[in-house]
Amino acid sequence: MTTSRSDAYARLLAAYRSPFALAGVATDTPLLLGLSGGADSRLLLHLVASECRQTGAPLHLAHIHHGIRDKEADRDERFCRDLAEQYHLPLHVLRADVPTLARERGESVETVARQVRYDFFSRVMREQDIPLLLTAHNADDNLETVLFHLVRGCGLSGLGGIAPVRCLDAPGQTVVRPLLLCSKADIVAACQELSLAFVTDSTNEDTAYTRNFLRARVLPALGEVIPHPEQQVVRGSETLREDEQCLGQLAEHLLAEASVETGLLRAALANAHPAIAKRVLRDWAFAISGQTLATCHLDAMLQLCAPTSTSKRLCVPGGVVVAERECLCWQDVTDESGVPTPFEVPFSEGTMERPELGFSLCVNTVSLRQHQTVTQNDKNVYNPFIRDTLIFDTIVGCTQVESLTWRSRRSGDTILFRGVNRKLRKLQNEMGIPATIRDRLPLLCHGDTVLWVPFIGPRDGAFTPVTQDSTNAYRLTVEYHTFMTDSPKEDIS
């Protein structure tokens, strides 16, 4: 049976939720509505403006020209200005050059566009003393979001999709989504029935964008086998958000119990369910560093809490996590600019401890005659214990060991590797060396020449091969505390 427009509009009215009821605020609370001019925000404006006329609530509109679609974006701005005049509502407009900002920040256009939008919304809300922001996200948007997060390996938070009510970063500001239970098809049908004109964004047809690909290719195919999948996922997302909220509350209690002046009690985390303990570690790290850690970091941090763990240190984005007796502690490893502090020290025998950078370095002489064979480092970056045995009798361009230094990586560093002079930054990336430790690794250098790099090995021709007749050799041992495992340390020299 063909669905009539009146049926679609009736479903939409049943699914629409008053922004005041969603947020639990008085019906005269001021509102800011994000207006793009598309069908979703156009219908939301129609419904909310009608409600505000009855309650007397002030309603403001906000539109962003992202600088992406040239004349089409100019058309959208004019359309929104005409709507604001038609409804006799104040309109706040921002013109931004999102493509340029994306290049400067090294982020995607989609990500920067979202940042620009919400920064603008927040500013208008602060200036106009408006506590509630309305956006026109619908059930199809929620389905796209859940699928997008699912294929990226998210947890409950991602599968929970778009929340109908969410606090913004600025205190006292909340975003609500009155159309979140409404399907896109019903929204378009309602606009047509009500003769509500709207604009169409041509970039929505560009499947180079992940969300557009999901919208154009995946959702239609899904709808062929599952009737109204967007409605099914909306209900599932609500359940998962409830589960996430419950786990979050349990994590808050555990964080309060495990927190001490120096850090977190390891035993409290080790005895807790991993789902709760890893939430505690995630929130703890974010509160200190502002970094959201990946699952691999949280798993490794939880291993540090185990009483049987042989690992003591873990380098993570923004700091070093250290297991000290009964506590898990955080050490900052950056200067005020947020960049690891460069270092350079003379080469010498003995042990050099650099806990602030997460490594220890030991240089000692060895009697090569005790070794029947001598092998090079296996370059496994997931083994924090690395050893190389190098002979120092003939170092290219160097006559004295005293002229050598240990230092951190510098911009433009290269190394002659397998016959090719390679950029060290690119080579480390290809070798799988974690980005979080590349600027903290100790490089053995003679002047500007890099002679040896942990996890990569020596520069071509920098050292004569180690043989049983060699007498003047050093063993380099670097213990780097990152991506810890509980496997025994291996002597690979």
Side-chain angles (χ1 to χ4, degrees), residues 25-40:
V25 297
T27 55
D28 60 351
T29 301
L31 307 174
L32 176 67
L33 189 153
L35 182 67
S36 68
D40 307 320

Side-chain angles (χ1 to χ4, degrees), residues 207-328:
T207 54
Y209 293 101
T210 303
R211 285 185 177 274
N212 291 349
F213 182 87
L214 291 173
R215 185 181 305 126
R217 305 282 183 84
V218 178
L219 267 60
L222 193 59
E224 292 179 5
V225 294
I226 302 174
H228 304 295
E230 73 283 351
Q231 298 298 335
Q232 307 293 341
V233 172
V234 161
R235 286 191 287 270
S237 295
E238 185 174 1
T239 299
L240 292 175
R241 284 195 299 271
E242 291 174 351
D243 292 346
E244 173 66 16
Q245 184 180 18
C246 177
L247 292 173
Q249 291 174 352
L250 293 174
E252 288 180 7
H253 292 312
L254 179 58
L255 178 59
E257 294 175 358
S259 295
V260 292
E261 185 176 353
T262 55
L264 298 176
L265 295 175
R266 295 169 60 194
L269 296 172
N271 294 331
H273 192 286
I276 307 300
K278 285 190 283 189
R279 279 171 170 77
V280 170
L281 293 169
R282 179 195 64 193
D283 295 344
W284 177 64
F286 183 81
I288 297 174
S289 67
Q291 299 276 355
T292 299
L293 301 187
T295 301
C296 62
H297 297 127
L298 300 176
D299 288 338
M301 289 169 69
L302 191 55
Q303 289 181 25
L304 289 181
C305 298
T308 57
S309 174
T310 59
S311 304
K312 298 299 180 186
R313 238 173 247 282
L314 175 71
C315 183
V316 298
V320 174
V321 181
V322 183
E324 295 182 352
R325 297 181 180 177
E326 73 276 7
C327 288
L328 200 65

Side-chain angles (χ1 to χ4, degrees), residues 36-98:
S36 68
D40 307 320
S41 63
R42 177 66 184 90
L43 181 65
L44 182 60
L45 171 60
H46 172 79
L47 296 173
V48 173
S50 176
E51 192 170 359
C52 287
R53 280 194 294 269
Q54 298 175 21
T55 65
L59 177 61
H60 289 240
L61 309 178
H63 176 78
I64 297 91
H65 186 304
H66 295 94
I68 298 174
R69 294 176 291 121
D70 298 328
K71 292 183 179 179
E72 187 177 280
D74 294 337
R75 175 210 65 187
D76 294 353
E77 181 182 330
R78 288 194 300 271
F79 179 77
C80 291
R81 289 187 183 278
D82 290 342
L83 280 177
E85 186 176 345
Q86 175 187 335
Y87 280 84
H88 305 290
L89 295 173
L91 174 68
H92 308 270
V93 176
L94 172 71
R95 281 185 164 248
D97 187 353
V98 169

Side-chain angles (χ1 to χ4, degrees), residues 399-445:
T399 57
Q400 293 185 338
V401 170
E402 289 76 12
S403 64
L404 302 177
T405 60
W406 294 106
R407 66 167 173 83
S408 53
R409 187 180 67 177
R410 295 173 181 169
S411 177
D413 272 343
T414 61
I415 185 170
L416 187 62
F417 186 72
R418 297 177 182 173
V420 179
N421 199 37
R422 302 289 305 279
K423 288 281 189 181
L424 183 56
R425 181 182 297 273
K426 186 174 182 179
L427 181 59
Q428 287 179 319
N429 181 58
E430 293 175 1
M431 299 292 284
I433 299 174
T436 54
I437 71 173
R438 295 174 197 166
D439 288 325
R440 300 183 175 99
L441 287 174
L443 312 182
L444 181 62
C445 301

Side-chain angles (χ1 to χ4, degrees), residues 8-242:
Y9 187 44
R11 284 198 305 270
L12 186 139
L13 290 178
Y16 171 78
R17 302 180 67 183
S18 166
F20 308 108
L22 269 175
V25 297
T27 55
D28 60 351
T29 301
L31 307 174
L32 176 67
L33 189 153
L35 182 67
S36 68
D40 307 320
S41 63
R42 177 66 184 90
L43 181 65
L44 182 60
L45 171 60
H46 172 79
L47 296 173
V48 173
S50 176
E51 192 170 359
C52 287
R53 280 194 294 269
Q54 298 175 21
T55 65
L59 177 61
H60 289 240
L61 309 178
H63 176 78
I64 297 91
H65 186 304
H66 295 94
I68 298 174
R69 294 176 291 121
D70 298 328
K71 292 183 179 179
E72 187 177 280
D74 294 337
R75 175 210 65 187
D76 294 353
E77 181 182 330
R78 288 194 300 271
F79 179 77
C80 291
R81 289 187 183 278
D82 290 342
L83 280 177
E85 186 176 345
Q86 175 187 335
Y87 280 84
H88 305 290
L89 295 173
L91 174 68
H92 308 270
V93 176
L94 172 71
R95 281 185 164 248
D97 187 353
V98 169
T100 298
L101 290 174
R103 287 192 297 271
E104 292 174 350
R105 299 178 187 180
E107 298 177 317
S108 70
V109 170
E110 291 171 290
T111 298
V112 173
R114 185 182 186 279
Q115 293 171 349
V116 167
R117 279 197 302 275
Y118 279 91
D119 287 347
F120 177 58
F121 292 152
S122 182
R123 176 163 60 85
V124 173
M125 295 170 72
R126 183 176 63 255
E127 293 173 351
Q128 301 297 324
D129 196 22
I130 300 174
L132 287 189
L133 167 68
L134 312 185
T135 64
H137 292 93
N138 58 55
D140 292 57
D141 294 327
N142 182 71
L143 175 55
E144 293 168 15
T145 299
V146 170
L147 290 175
F148 181 72
H149 288 160
L150 178 63
V151 297
R152 297 180 68 188
C154 69
L156 280 183
S157 179
L159 294 178
I162 302 173
V165 180
R166 180 176 67 84
C167 293
L168 297 176
D169 292 336
Q173 296 182 357
T174 303
V175 57
V176 296
R177 281 85 182 222
L179 298 180
L180 194 58
L181 301 180
C182 306
S183 71
K184 180 71 172 185
D186 286 347
I187 289 172
V188 172
C191 285
Q192 292 171 346
E193 181 173 347
L194 297 170
S195 299
L196 301 177
F198 56 87
V199 295
T200 302
D201 184 344
S202 63
T203 61
N204 288 339
E205 306 301 321
D206 185 357
T207 54
Y209 293 101
T210 303
R211 285 185 177 274
N212 291 349
F213 182 87
L214 291 173
R215 185 181 305 126
R217 305 282 183 84
V218 178
L219 267 60
L222 193 59
E224 292 179 5
V225 294
I226 302 174
H228 304 295
E230 73 283 351
Q231 298 298 335
Q232 307 293 341
V233 172
V234 161
R235 286 191 287 270
S237 295
E238 185 174 1
T239 299
L240 292 175
R241 284 195 299 271
E242 291 174 351

